[in-house]
């Protein structure tokens, strides 16, 4: 995140993992994609994390909250590199 509090990575398993760098705690897993995570972006204020998946979905999760990501948008294309 811009303020340096959170770090996030997306995996081949469709799970986004985030760490709160200001606390000693385990990473938080956020599920929802049915394929590989291809892109991540934090909201400007750091309150949310957006993820783009190979499954063509864009998901949003509140930063620091575990569980499934909210489906933000589903598009008809597959994201590949």
């Amino acid at each position: 995140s811009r303020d340096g509090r959170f770090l996030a990575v997306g995996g081949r398993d469709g799970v986004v993992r985030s760490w709160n760098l200001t606390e000693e705690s385990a990473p938080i897993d956020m599920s929802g994609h049915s394929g590989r995570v291809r892109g991540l972006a934090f909201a400007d204020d750091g309150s949310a994390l957006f993820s783009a998946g190979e499954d063509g979905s864009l998901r949003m999760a509140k930063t620091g909250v575990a569980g499934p990501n909210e489906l933000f948008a589903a598009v008809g294309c597959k994201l590949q590199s």
Side-chain angles (χ1 to χ4, degrees):
S1 60
R2 281 187 179 193
D3 60 10
R5 291 183 326 172
F6 294 97
L7 172 70
V9 296
R12 293 180 185 179
D13 58 0
V15 175
V16 174
R17 288 175 183 83
S18 70
W19 289 262
N20 183 334
L21 301 177
T22 63
E23 300 175 1
E24 282 191 35
S25 58
I28 294 174
D29 288 354
M30 297 168 279
S31 59
H33 291 289
S34 61
R36 182 183 298 218
V37 176
R38 291 291 186 176
L40 296 170
F42 284 98
D44 285 343
D45 64 0
S47 65
L49 175 61
F50 294 88
S51 59
E54 196 171 75
D55 60 2
S57 68
L58 176 63
R59 297 186 170 272
M60 181 188 76
K62 290 186 180 186
T63 308
V65 179
N69 293 343
E70 178 182 337
L71 182 61
F72 189 73
V75 294
C77 64
K78 301 291 182 187
L79 300 173
Q80 301 175 359
S81 60

